[in-house]
Amino acid sequence: MHLSRRSTLASLSRWAALLAAQRVLSAPNAGLTRLANPRFESDPFALGVASGQPRPRSVVLWTRLVANPEQAGVELPPALIPVTWQVADDDDFARIVRSGTVLADPAQAHSVRVLVEHLQPARRYCYRFLAGGVASPVGRTRTAPAENADVDRLRLALASCQHYEQGWFTAHREIAGQDLDAVVFVGDYIYDSSNRRFLLRAHEAEEPCTLDEFRARHVTYKRDPDLQACHAAHPWILAWDDHEVRNDYAGVLGDEEAGSPQEFLRMRTAAYQAYFEHQPLAPDQLPGATGVRMHDRFRWGRLADLWMLDGRQYRSPQACNAPGVAGGHVRWHCHALADDQGTVLGADQERWLQDGLRSATGRWKLIGQSTQMSPWGLPGPDGRKLVYSDGWDGYPAARTRLLEHIATHQLQNVVFLGGDVHRHVAARLRANPDDPRTPVVASEFVTSSITTAGLPESLMSLIRRSNADILHARSDERGYMALDVTDRSLHCVARATGFPVLAHAQLHTQARFRVDSGRAGPQRE
């Protein structure tokens, strides 16, 4: 029987839900031994600590117990291990304000996450974990201001794309030393793949496919001391992109190298589980029958609202691919790009974002998502643009729907924050990005990668010349962006260093921009 593309995707989605539900149902801890007095031969907190999801009265704390990450195959016993957590007002933990004990479950790789509630708004706290007489490193976090509070500033670091093999995480070392409210990380936390041309330090194995292999990949990244320091210094707010699973995957479809759709879904389920186990995500974000809730909203008093979007889980397959195959490609003659049904976010998430933007009361509306929204296509031989189908250029109707919503409702101070493309970008966003006659309605800043290689300057020069709303774009340097938001303006500093990023690298300021309240579009400083 011939199945339509829509029917095939619907069947795969139901199969994915069944697979995810089966994993949840297979993970109860009933009957497992509880180690009342665990003993460790090495530091069980070798992967560090982290915090995330800062709310006015709560924050999420994370760690994972390990046996010895330097010895492959050495595991903790398949038992429940009690872990004590403490939150204090001081570094010495003389004034503990909240504490408790949780069980590290082998079904979640002995990872621990705690939603600490009943905290005070706009406060800095210290936290740590204890197990078997061993104390973890001390982490520092902070809560968001009360939702109706008048707030002077919001300071963020915007980061993305940290390929372990292509350099050192020196940018994280600098971010760790900054006075920030949070780190906004917009995807490609790990990389599934390798590129031997840029190899400086090796992954632990080939491309991961199973749950154990994805766990091992996360361990490789978590052991990096600069990444650990950045997690311990600030709360993180996370989005994901493609390399947490496979390059350019879309929803329930992988590329032609991922095997059958069912094989890809098994792999995606394993990748989602491992991602959850290694991030400071809330307990209710455990992968389940409906997938993983990654989109979220954060408020910083009356100053700002921040939406974090999921651009992978609900995405339509990229246009003009062969049946059953996903993945981004450079497209020229592709009539399917005009399909108004194409979506990056999915209908429900798109509606949730539009409703939230329309009802938001914060002065600034920040939208964190994984890639560049402004057009960056190149002119083809017949005047049509060549576009990369995995970016927003490959979903022009979805992009226009969102930007026209901003224009129609006259929403002020909307700033998109992106990553993925391995370049620092400052750009204007128009109501219809493909029509220069429409008004500028929003601003965009895209951070370069922490380490991953970018496009050559010859190509970047052509991209800049061909897209007038791109005010700045450099792909030859790696780094992050520092954002300072006040009532009157948003300031963005692009911090950068050369490629490849070496352990002793120093960062410099590549560019400075600001957005004035009430005036859409960045201005160079």
Side-chain angles (χ1 to χ4, degrees):
M1 180 178 64
H2 176 72
L3 294 177
S4 69
R5 174 176 170 274
R6 187 179 300 274
S7 297
T8 301
L9 293 177
S11 298
L12 289 172
S13 297
R14 287 192 295 271
W15 197 85
L18 179 62
L19 181 64
Q22 185 179 32
R23 175 165 299 281
V24 172
L25 293 173
S26 67
N29 56 38
L32 288 178
T33 302
R34 176 172 173 169
L35 297 182
N37 297 295
R39 299 181 58 133
F40 305 103
E41 296 183 2
S42 61
D43 181 8
F45 299 105
L47 304 187
V49 299
S51 69
Q53 310 245 353
R55 312 283 186 187
R57 303 280 296 185
S58 68
V59 71
V60 174
L61 306 182
W62 171 92
T63 193
R64 179 189 164 190
L65 303 179
V66 290
N68 188 337
E70 295 184 1
Q71 295 184 18
V74 177
E75 301 290 344
L76 293 172
L80 301 171
I81 300 177
V83 179
T84 297
W85 56 271
Q86 298 174 335
V87 176
D89 277 332
D90 63 310
D91 291 348
D92 297 326
F93 288 82
R95 299 187 302 275
I96 295 175
V97 298
R98 298 286 294 160
S99 64
T101 300
V102 294
L103 295 175
D105 191 335
Q108 296 181 23
H110 288 106
S111 64
V112 169
R113 71 205 66 255
V114 181
L115 177 62
V116 183
E117 300 180 291
H118 308 296
L119 298 174
Q120 294 301 309
R123 289 283 294 275
R124 294 193 179 274
Y125 291 99
C126 296
Y127 65 94
R128 67 182 178 184
F129 298 89
L130 303 102
V134 181
S136 74
V138 174
R140 291 166 180 81
T141 190
R142 70 165 300 158
T143 51
E147 291 187 1
N148 63 348
D150 291 322
V151 181
D152 293 332
R153 299 174 73 187
L154 168 61
R155 292 157 297 185
L156 302 171
L158 177 65
S160 177
C161 300
Q162 50 189 33
H163 201 308
Y164 180 88
E165 293 191 331
Q166 294 187 19
W168 274 259
F169 297 161
T170 312
H172 282 308
R173 186 186 314 161
E174 179 171 296
I175 296 171
Q178 303 301 306
D179 184 11
L180 299 174
D181 295 304
V183 174
V184 175
F185 195 89
V186 288
D188 292 341
Y189 188 93
I190 64 168
Y191 272 76
D192 57 309
S193 57
S194 297
N195 187 328
R196 298 302 174 186
R197 291 174 53 206
F198 305 125
L199 182 64
L200 292 183
R201 50 180 183 168
H203 282 146
E204 75 297 329
E206 298 301 317
E207 288 187 350
C209 292
T210 67
L211 178 56
D212 286 342
E213 290 168 349
F214 275 106
R215 285 170 171 170
R217 182 59 48 91
H218 278 276
V219 166
T220 296
Y221 282 67
K222 286 292 189 185
R223 291 182 62 198
D224 183 274
D226 294 325
L227 181 58
Q228 283 196 21
C230 193
H231 271 299
H234 311 294
W236 280 43
I237 299 172
L238 291 142
W240 61 14
D241 196 22
D242 53 341
H243 284 286
E244 287 88 352
V245 182
R246 278 296 184 270
N247 181 49
D248 286 359
Y249 85 93
V252 294
L253 291 177
D255 61 23
E256 58 270 21
E257 297 179 358
S260 70
Q262 289 77 14
E263 289 172 332
F264 171 74
L265 285 172
R266 289 191 187 95
M267 180 177 65
R268 194 193 76 163
T269 300
Y272 283 7
Q273 177 78 13
Y275 183 87
F276 172 81
E277 292 170 350
H278 291 86
Q279 302 298 353
L281 300 177
D284 68 359
Q285 292 178 272
L286 176 70
T290 57
V292 182
R293 180 187 58 78
M294 284 298 295
H295 62 282
D296 212 336
R297 179 177 177 178
F298 300 86
R299 299 181 181 178
W300 214 257
R302 296 181 180 178
L303 180 63
D305 291 83
L306 169 64
W307 290 263
M308 295 296 282
L309 305 183
D310 178 353
R312 285 293 159 189
Q313 199 168 183
Y314 314 110
R315 171 188 292 248
S316 304
Q318 294 86 347
C320 295
N321 284 345
V325 175
H329 301 275
V330 175
R331 297 300 184 199
W332 176 18
H333 290 283
C334 176
H335 298 294
L337 288 175
D339 181 6
D340 61 4
Q341 299 302 310
T343 179
V344 173
L345 305 176
D348 290 343
Q349 186 180 190
E350 200 171 300
R351 191 179 310 110
W352 166 81
L353 175 60
Q354 291 180 353
D355 291 345
L357 286 170
R358 193 169 58 250
S359 62
T361 57
R363 176 171 291 273
W364 293 91
K365 301 166 185 65
L366 311 178
I367 302 174
Q369 49 87 45
S370 60
T371 191
Q372 181 174 335
M373 177 159 284
S374 53
W376 56 280
L378 295 173
D382 62 356
R384 300 185 188 184
K385 276 197 170 184
L386 287 81
V387 300
Y388 189 64
S389 63
D390 187 63
W392 281 98
D393 280 345
Y395 301 83
R399 176 172 61 191
T400 299
R401 282 196 302 271
L402 179 53
L403 294 174
E404 284 186 345
H405 177 84
I406 293 170
T408 299
H409 294 279
Q410 300 180 340
L411 303 178
Q412 298 290 309
N413 303 331
V414 179
V415 181
F416 286 82
L417 308 175
D420 176 59
V421 291
H422 311 161
R423 54 181 174 263
H424 281 320
V425 175
R428 297 181 291 244
L429 292 170
R430 298 184 181 274
N432 183 342
D434 295 318
D435 186 350
R437 298 167 298 181
T438 60
V440 176
V441 297
S443 308
E444 178 177 44
F445 295 109
V446 180
T447 182
S448 185
S449 56
I450 294 291
T451 58
T452 319
L455 296 175
E457 177 56 25
S458 57
L459 185 54
M460 284 307 308
S461 177
L462 183 56
I463 289 172
R464 289 193 298 268
R465 292 198 307 268
S466 304
N467 297 275
D469 283 325
I470 295 180
L471 307 178
H472 177 83
R474 280 187 60 179
S475 192
D476 58 326
E477 294 186 317
R478 317 276 61 86
Y480 73 99
M481 283 182 162
L483 304 173
D484 192 349
V485 185
T486 68
D487 194 56
R488 298 179 61 182
S489 59
L490 181 152
H491 296 261
C492 176
V493 178
R495 298 286 290 167
T497 189
F499 176 83
V501 182
L502 303 179
H504 59 271
Q506 298 293 316
L507 281 77
H508 65 273
T509 295
Q510 182 187 100
R512 293 178 180 269
F513 284 87
R514 81 172 187 276
V515 179
D516 292 331
S517 179
R519 179 181 178 184
Q523 302 176 66
R524 191 180 295 272
E525 291 190 318

